[in-house]
Amino acid sequence: MQVSVETTQGLERRLTITVPAAAISAEVEKELRTIAKTRRIDGFRPGKAPVAMIKKMFGLPVLQDVASRQMQNHFYQAIIQNKLTPAGAPTFAPKQLAEGKDLEFVATFEVYPEVQLNNLDKVEVSKPVVEITEADLNTMIDTLRKQHATWDKTKAAIAKGHRVNMDFTGSIDGVEFEGGKAAGFTLEIGQGRMIPGFEDGIIGKKSGEEFTIDVTFPEDYHAENLKGKAAQFAIKINGVEKQKLPEVNEEFAALFGLAEPTVDALRAEVKKNMERELSNNIKAKVKDQVVKGLLANHDVDVPQALIDSEVDVLRRQALQRFGNNLDAKNLPELPASLFAEQAKDRVKVGLLLGEVIKANNLQVDDARVQALIETVASAYEDPQEVVQYYNSNKELLQGMRNVALEEQAIDLVLEKAKVTEQKAKFDEIMNPQASN
């Protein structure tokens, strides 16, 4: 086998490989003999057809099949011999394929880039330091109370927090518009579900009242024919309800399946869950800053084959999200351009963290893997059952090992990065949009 290696552009490599004719011919002859023994040919007993006839009938497809296998085999021999690491599947192009002649072909592929880690000390990370206060815990308990609230009819004027049942008809210049009419519509005041001005026009009204309000659709409204239009809504209030929150007592605590349904046990369990979610959010925020810092301080050539592969992953994930409500089979093919930039960054980060792991000879910390599994399991009713399930499932366990190794790489970057601690409130970390 003769091999020549050529760098075409960037990470692309081109191998020109020559396989001696004798190697090809020997395999072709072997296959033709097998066909002659096993294939039934009209006019001849099995195994008695002339070799010349077999060769005429099957020679070309057998040659092509043998050449395909030989190209695969010799390609892998060549990359091992030349210490090349393909980043994707090669494309093969035979330059010469003829009986009795050497097989000459070209294999084109991309290799992984050489990644140089530098400027890790320029990665800047602001790590939130958060203390869960009694006020935070009380707010969370109130959230649980609202989730288990009941509703009582009231004759009071409509206010924020009330639930209203109504009929309404929308019109523009006296003409009803599509989608602007509803009967028995229920709305909880204060959640901002309606267009600006709608809830304001209802507040202060009472059950049984009929009235008309004036509103203006936002300029960025999703319906083109309604953008920026002034409209009127004729409204009839069918009923008003006020929320009744349950008392925080043993009866309330029993709703959450606690072994000991007491208020203290409930507060302890809620705080434990808050601490777990807070830890996850802080970890995610720190990782995001590390990733952005690595990307900002490293210029890495990225094989297109890896980008294409990551685009496919992102596309499938997007289709799965759509598929929750729609038949994914009927969805249009999402263009690669939607995911290209994100895919490129994800590949870059993978290459950089991979180099951190390689350069520092990081090995998976089994204790960390078990800690991750236990954290996931703690959210379930029977944590030990979940732990056992993860440990008995090779795919899930390997996924956790990958997560643990990535976390170890992130931690190593953090050791060299500029990390500052910044005090923050629980809500700022858990609900950043609400706190802005």
Side-chain angles (χ1 to χ4, degrees):
M1 178 182 68
Q2 296 178 0
V3 181
S4 66
V5 183
E6 179 185 359
T7 299
T8 52
Q9 57 179 356
L11 299 173
E12 188 179 85
R13 299 292 183 270
R14 182 182 296 160
L15 297 182
T16 302
I17 301 173
T18 303
V19 183
I24 303 296
S25 297
E27 193 169 345
V28 168
E29 290 298 324
K30 181 180 178 182
E31 288 212 16
L32 289 174
R33 284 195 299 271
T34 300
I35 291 173
K37 291 177 182 178
T38 58
R39 190 68 59 93
R40 181 177 293 277
I41 306 297
D42 290 343
F44 297 92
R45 286 181 296 157
K48 297 301 182 180
V51 175
M53 178 179 288
I54 296 295
K55 194 169 187 177
K56 184 176 181 180
M57 295 175 66
F58 302 103
L60 181 58
V62 167
L63 176 62
Q64 291 171 337
D65 186 47
V66 168
S68 177
R69 291 200 302 270
Q70 289 284 353
M71 285 190 287
Q72 289 279 355
N73 293 338
H74 283 80
F75 169 73
Y76 289 115
Q77 291 178 33
I79 61 173
I80 292 171
Q81 178 181 313
N82 289 276
K83 297 180 181 179
L84 298 171
T85 309
T91 58
F92 296 128
K95 295 179 68 176
Q96 176 177 277
L97 179 59
E99 183 184 354
K101 293 188 177 182
D102 293 345
L103 168 63
E104 187 177 5
F105 69 96
V106 173
T108 305
F109 58 98
E110 290 178 293
V111 295
Y112 280 91
E114 291 186 11
V115 179
Q116 296 293 329
L117 291 173
N118 50 55
N119 300 323
L120 293 184
D121 58 334
K122 293 184 179 179
V123 175
E124 296 184 4
V125 175
S126 175
K127 184 178 180 180
V129 178
V130 183
E131 178 186 354
I132 298 177
T133 65
E134 283 297 300
D136 294 326
L137 181 54
N138 290 337
T139 299
M140 187 60 69
I141 295 291
D142 283 342
T143 299
L144 295 177
R145 293 174 70 199
K146 290 174 183 177
Q147 291 172 357
H148 292 82
T150 56
W151 295 88
D152 293 338
K153 290 184 179 180
T154 180
K155 295 181 179 180
I158 297 170
K160 184 177 179 181
H162 283 168
R163 192 164 72 178
V164 181
N165 184 277
M166 72 185 93
D167 303 335
F168 61 78
T169 301
S171 61
I172 295 176
D173 297 329
V175 180
E176 293 183 20
F177 56 87
E178 186 178 354
K181 187 173 184 177
F185 182 80
T186 299
L187 176 69
E188 187 174 339
I189 305 300
Q191 292 192 338
R193 288 176 53 196
M194 308 300 281
I195 62 174
F198 192 97
E199 289 189 7
D200 292 338
I202 295 173
I203 289 176
K205 306 297 183 181
K206 294 184 178 181
S207 179
E209 287 194 54
E210 297 185 36
F211 53 94
T212 299
I213 63 173
D214 295 311
V215 296
T216 301
F217 282 92
E219 293 291 343
D220 60 353
Y221 194 67
H222 61 84
E224 193 67 34
N225 62 316
L226 299 177
K227 288 182 177 180
K229 295 290 182 67
Q232 297 76 44
F233 281 89
I235 299 174
K236 177 186 176 183
I237 304 298
N238 299 322
V240 182
E241 297 174 313
K242 64 179 180 179
Q243 192 178 61
K244 182 180 179 181
L245 299 178
E247 294 293 326
V248 181
N249 52 27
E250 290 188 357
E251 183 180 352
F252 180 66
L255 296 174
F256 300 92
L258 300 172
E260 184 183 352
T262 65
V263 174
D264 286 344
L266 173 64
R267 290 178 70 85
E269 181 67 19
V270 170
K271 187 170 184 180
K272 185 176 75 172
N273 291 337
M274 291 171 70
E275 288 170 342
R276 183 184 65 245
E277 294 302 317
L278 176 62
S279 175
N280 289 338
N281 275 33
I282 290 176
K283 188 184 293 184
K285 288 179 182 296
V286 169
K287 178 183 174 181
D288 183 62
Q289 293 177 73
V290 169
V291 164
K292 288 178 179 177
L294 286 172
L295 290 173
N297 290 285
H298 293 86
D299 187 19
V300 182
D301 287 335
V302 182
Q304 188 61 45
L306 297 184
I307 296 175
D308 293 342
S309 178
E310 194 63 33
V311 164
D312 286 342
V313 171
L314 293 171
R315 184 188 279 126
R316 285 197 300 272
Q317 290 174 350
L319 288 174
Q320 286 172 355
R321 288 194 295 271
F322 286 132
N324 289 335
N325 301 309
L326 300 170
D327 185 355
K329 294 179 181 178
N330 296 326
L331 290 171
E333 178 75 2
L334 299 174
S337 57
L338 288 176
F339 311 102
E341 198 61 36
Q342 183 185 1
K344 187 175 182 179
D345 282 348
R346 284 174 56 144
V347 173
K348 279 185 179 179
V349 171
L351 292 170
L352 288 165
L353 290 179
E355 184 60 25
V356 171
I357 293 168
K358 177 183 174 183
N360 294 277
N361 195 28
L362 294 182
Q363 304 296 320
V364 177
D365 181 349
D366 289 331
R368 189 169 196 147
V369 173
Q370 291 306 309
L372 285 169
I373 293 174
E374 288 169 7
T375 299
V376 172
S378 65
Y380 291 84
E381 186 174 345
D382 188 346
Q384 192 55 41
E385 182 180 344
V386 177
V387 170
Q388 290 174 356
Y389 180 69
Y390 266 82
N391 283 318
S392 62
N393 186 302
K394 289 183 179 180
E395 187 175 342
L396 289 176
L397 184 58
Q398 185 57 49
M400 280 300 184
R401 289 175 64 83
N402 293 340
V403 171
L405 191 56
E406 183 181 86
E407 285 190 359
Q408 290 171 234
I410 294 288
D411 287 348
L412 196 143
V413 175
L414 285 171
E415 290 177 8
K416 301 180 180 180
K418 295 178 181 177
V419 180
T420 57
E421 294 187 344
Q422 184 175 11
K423 287 187 177 180
K425 296 180 180 178
F426 181 78
D427 270 354
E428 292 173 344
I429 301 303
M430 303 303 294
N431 305 298
Q433 293 180 341
S435 62
N436 289 339

